[in-house]
Amino acid sequence: MAIKLEKYESKASELTSLGTVVEITGVKGSIKTLRKNFHDTSKRVAVIIANADNDSTIVSCSEALSIELRAGRIVADDLFGYEIVEGKAGIPFISMPSENAVQEFKASNYKAKVKPSAAFMPTSAIA
């Protein structure tokens, strides 16, 4: 059976995407956390995003993303792939993909972390 690729159409959202963090900061950009804010669980996590020229702004994370960051299930570097969205109030924030949202990971950005050799792999795993 062959896999057939077709155009994917997502449903409309009340959020407007401003692009991913890396699209806004550029590949030489940075993310800085604010220690006092990070440990204050009554607030959303806020980060400073900057481009290579050190032009910067503070952007808060969604409530769900803040929980995941504080729990250590997501690290600050992961935020580069997340979208900055703007809601009806016009305030931008970094968001995890929603249930019906699509998050794209480009193959051109993929870097292998481990390259197992045939000698390392069990014989049963080699075709």
Side-chain angles (χ1 to χ4, degrees), residues 61-81:
C61 296
S62 68
E63 188 174 331
L65 184 53
S66 296
I67 291 168
E68 296 299 309
L69 282 163
R70 288 184 174 117
R73 291 184 288 266
I74 294 175
V75 296
D77 288 353
D78 295 334
L79 297 179
F80 282 111

Side-chain angles (χ1 to χ4, degrees), residues 95-111:
S95 178
M96 294 175 67
S98 68
E99 266 184 48
N100 297 324
V102 174
Q103 185 177 15
E104 181 177 11
F105 297 92
K106 294 191 183 268
S108 60
N109 295 336
Y110 175 75
K111 293 179 183 170

Side-chain angles (χ1 to χ4, degrees), residues 21-78:
V21 173
V22 75
E23 288 172 339
I24 293 169
T25 64
V27 295
K28 294 185 179 182
S30 65
I31 296 173
K32 299 172 187 167
T33 58
L34 305 163
R35 175 176 258 182
K36 185 177 179 181
N37 166 269
F38 190 85
H39 293 291
D40 185 349
T41 57
S42 69
K43 297 180 180 179
R44 293 179 177 192
V45 170
V47 294
I48 300 169
I49 61 171
N51 63 17
D53 295 329
N54 212 25
D55 298 324
S56 63
T57 190
I58 296 177
V59 181
S60 67
C61 296
S62 68
E63 188 174 331
L65 184 53
S66 296
I67 291 168
E68 296 299 309
L69 282 163
R70 288 184 174 117
R73 291 184 288 266
I74 294 175
V75 296
D77 288 353
D78 295 334

